């Protein structure tokens, strides 16, 4: 991804025959936008209805979301910091939701421990994925035209639970 793209406020990304437009808020880092775009691109094949920054009428707003036919989250992606209250509420309330938590160039072990503790006493039927997004993701995974080409094998990826 060129430096020019990092300076833009409106970014258009493409993956798997779909397109998404993201507006970078002034307080939002480029890394945060990149993480949201990568979550969207990575999970789009499994969740073709996935959307970015779409409110769903709940207290918490997801970074990436896909809803099932009943209007419940089938996948919920969070990029960057997630507060403990939000993390605990989401994991306990949405036990059939596939969660994806992405961190920028981070050790996933502390998050894995926290999520493990929060879910140890509940029965979940969907996986929880942790992603450490490489610091060079902008250059590696984004074409000049905004096309994202990335696979799980290219990032530090950890699945904590299996359905």
């Amino acid at each position: 991804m060129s430096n020019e793209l990092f300076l833009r406020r409106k970014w258009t990304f493409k993956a798997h025959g779909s397109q998404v437009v993201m507006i970078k808020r002034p307080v939002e880092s480029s890394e945060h936008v990149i993480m949201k775009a990568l979550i969207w691109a990575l999970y789009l094949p499994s969740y073709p209805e996935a959307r970015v920054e779409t409110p769903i009428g709940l207290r918490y707003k997801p970074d990436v979301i896909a809803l099932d036919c009943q209007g419940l989250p089938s996948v919920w992606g969070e990029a960057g910091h997630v507060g403990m209250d939000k993390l605990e509420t989401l994991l306990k309330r949405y036990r059939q939701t596939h969660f994806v938590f992405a961190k920028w160039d981070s050790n996933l072990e502390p998050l894995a421990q926290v999520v493990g503790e929060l879910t140890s006493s509940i029965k979940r039927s969907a996986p929880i994925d942790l992603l450490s997004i490489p610091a060079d993701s902008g250059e590696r995974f984004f074409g000049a035209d905004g096309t994202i080409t990335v696979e799980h094998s290219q990032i530090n990826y950890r699945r904590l639970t299996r359905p």
Side-chain angles (χ1 to χ4, degrees):
M1 185 183 311
S2 69
N3 287 337
E4 176 188 325
L5 186 58
F6 276 111
L7 298 175
R8 291 187 195 159
R9 188 173 181 281
K10 180 177 171 182
W11 296 358
T12 301
F13 298 116
K14 303 171 202 164
H16 308 289
S18 294
Q19 178 175 301
V20 65
V21 176
M22 295 188 202
I23 306 297
K24 181 184 169 297
R25 297 183 307 268
V27 297
E28 188 174 29
S29 69
S30 296
E31 291 83 6
H32 190 249
V33 176
I34 289 169
M35 286 190 288
K36 291 187 293 188
L38 288 173
I39 293 170
W40 173 76
L42 281 164
Y43 290 88
L44 197 57
S46 298
Y47 302 98
E49 66 283 1
R51 304 286 178 257
V52 179
E53 291 285 342
T54 302
I56 57 171
L58 301 173
R59 176 179 175 201
Y60 297 114
K61 181 179 170 187
D63 287 324
V64 177
I65 191 77
L67 301 176
D68 65 16
C69 59
Q70 298 172 333
L72 296 172
S74 52
V75 68
W76 183 307
E78 288 289 331
H81 176 75
V82 180
M84 281 299 293
D85 287 344
K86 182 177 185 178
L87 188 62
E88 184 173 12
T89 298
L90 294 177
L91 292 173
K92 289 185 177 179
R93 183 173 297 159
Y94 301 108
R95 298 175 187 203
Q96 292 83 29
T97 299
H98 182 171
F99 281 101
V100 180
F101 298 104
K103 299 288 186 188
W104 188 258
D105 197 30
S106 298
N107 174 3
L108 295 175
E109 192 52 38
L111 179 58
Q113 289 178 358
V114 169
V115 170
E117 289 170 15
L118 290 173
T119 59
S120 65
S121 63
I122 61 173
K123 184 170 177 75
R124 291 191 42 83
S125 61
I128 300 170
D129 294 345
L130 307 181
L131 312 175
S132 178
I133 305 300
D136 64 350
S137 291
E139 294 78 31
R140 285 177 58 194
F141 306 128
F142 293 79
D145 66 349
T147 299
I148 303 170
T149 306
V150 64
E151 296 177 9
H152 281 91
S153 62
Q154 297 173 297
I155 60 172
N156 184 0
Y157 158 76
R158 184 166 174 194
R159 178 157 282 180
L160 295 182
T161 58
R162 300 193 181 277

